[in-house]
Amino acid sequence: MTKSVVAGVDGSPEGFAAADWAAGEALRRGLPLRLVHAWEGGLPQGVAPDAVLPELRAPQHHAHHVLHSALDRLGERYPQLPITAEQVCMPPVSTLLAESGSADLLVIGSQGPGGLGGFVSGSVAMATVARLEHPVVLVRAGETAETEHLPAAEGKPSIRTPCRDVAVAVDVDEPSDEVLDFAFHTAELRRAQVRAVHAWRVPFSHGFADAEARARRRAEAERELAELLAPWREKYPTAVVKEELHEGWPAHVLVGAAAGAGLLVVGSRRRRAVVGPHTGPVAHALIHHVHCPVALVPHD
């Protein structure tokens, strides 16, 4: 079965921004787009629709309107893209998990008043994102095709300029092939630069770090990063790669590094925790503080 890029829509600006971003990504990947709207309503079992009071049918009509409004708007914007839509009578979290399994990529809004978008900013959604086994991209309201590209002359928005960098968080101690492959492949589709970002620090066990100790640690980090990226430069020979090293904690470094990027790619470790799933402090910080789309790529 042909996979697709799946976008969750809920009627919020964040949901439509996610669907619009997903449409552009589907075109780049040569895949169809599937829109899904999840709702927990439904008519009483065994009761004919015309026998139910109009106010009980209203939520269903609203859900239908949300989905088909997004379908119509995207159909006008992307006439060359095959788009399907489905209304799913399931909780949003269950829908996200089910859809991610059959999707090439899942895209959802990162904020919102309710539904798929709103859940992402809450504890339930954070747990859902942590349980995903496949990549998911979180998109904020205001993200458009123009914001994915560098500005034109005089800072004017444009879709004809080169795409902004794909920034990727690189951990040289626990590298992930899934994260790097996703970042390089996504950048290749966009003909964008890969910006490999690595946060380094002198271990506390070394005591107070003077300038010489810090210089040695930075040189070591530079060597480790270059060695780690060498096979990926060979696999993607046309990729333009910029190595970027910053001293500091990963979450702080990556929030700053995401400024100006078109997409930030970060790993999300799969955890089989006894008390439930966990996104990790870095991914948690990025979801809430980074303004560009964030791709979370699960890895072992």
Side-chain angles (χ1 to χ4, degrees):
M1 183 178 66
T2 302
K3 288 197 171 186
S4 59
V5 175
V6 175
V9 295
D10 63 353
S12 70
E14 293 77 11
F16 183 76
D20 191 73
W21 190 96
E25 191 65 17
L27 282 175
R28 295 187 185 100
R29 294 171 180 252
L31 296 174
L33 174 66
R34 170 175 156 83
L35 303 179
V36 177
H37 177 73
W39 72 302
E40 298 183 67
L43 299 179
Q45 188 174 8
V47 178
D50 53 354
V52 178
L53 293 174
E55 55 267 30
L56 296 181
R57 294 199 300 267
Q60 185 180 35
H61 292 321
H62 174 71
H64 180 84
H65 173 74
V66 164
L67 185 61
H68 285 274
S69 175
L71 181 61
D72 292 342
R73 291 172 65 184
L74 292 175
E76 292 178 2
R77 290 171 61 87
Y78 304 94
Q80 71 277 43
L81 177 64
I83 307 176
T84 58
E86 183 177 358
Q87 185 175 304
V88 181
C89 188
M90 288 175 56
V93 170
S94 301
T95 299
L96 291 176
L97 294 174
E99 290 293 333
S100 67
S102 58
D104 187 74
L105 182 65
L106 177 66
V107 186
I108 54 179
S110 65
Q111 296 284 332
L116 287 170
F119 268 108
V120 173
S121 60
S123 59
V124 173
M126 296 296 293
T128 303
V129 169
R131 289 160 57 191
L132 289 173
E133 296 292 325
H134 306 279
V136 57
V137 176
L138 308 179
V139 180
R140 290 184 183 272
E143 183 69 21
T144 65
E146 289 80 6
T147 57
E148 290 188 285
H149 292 255
L150 294 168
E154 300 178 358
K156 294 181 178 180
S158 173
I159 61 171
R160 302 185 183 280
T161 55
C163 286
R164 295 178 183 270
D165 297 349
V166 173
V168 54
V170 181
D171 185 344
V172 298
D173 295 320
E174 297 183 3
S176 166
D177 288 348
E178 294 100 321
V179 173
L180 289 170
D181 194 53
F182 183 94
F184 273 79
H185 178 59
T186 302
E188 182 181 57
L189 294 174
R190 296 162 176 255
R191 299 181 181 177
Q193 176 178 256
V194 176
R195 184 146 50 91
V197 182
H198 174 57
W200 64 274
R201 292 179 297 111
V202 177
F204 288 133
S205 59
H206 291 195
F208 178 77
D210 56 19
E212 183 178 351
R214 292 173 58 243
R216 285 197 305 268
R217 180 66 192 100
R218 178 181 174 87
E220 181 182 9
E222 289 177 345
R223 176 183 56 78
E224 292 171 341
L225 181 60
E227 291 178 354
L228 178 62
L229 294 176
W232 298 99
R233 292 179 187 270
E234 293 182 8
K235 182 175 180 178
Y236 293 90
T238 62
V240 177
V241 184
K242 178 182 179 182
E243 299 175 15
E244 193 171 293
L245 293 95
H246 298 276
E247 183 178 10
W249 294 96
H252 296 163
V253 166
L254 291 170
V255 169
L263 178 69
L264 175 64
V265 182
V266 63
S268 179
R269 183 170 292 281
R270 297 185 181 97
R271 300 176 186 269
R272 304 294 184 261
V274 175
V275 294
H278 177 53
T279 55
V282 175
H284 187 281
L286 297 177
I287 289 172
H288 290 289
H289 298 294
V290 169
H291 293 287
C292 72
V294 178
L296 296 175
V297 182
H299 65 96
D300 294 321

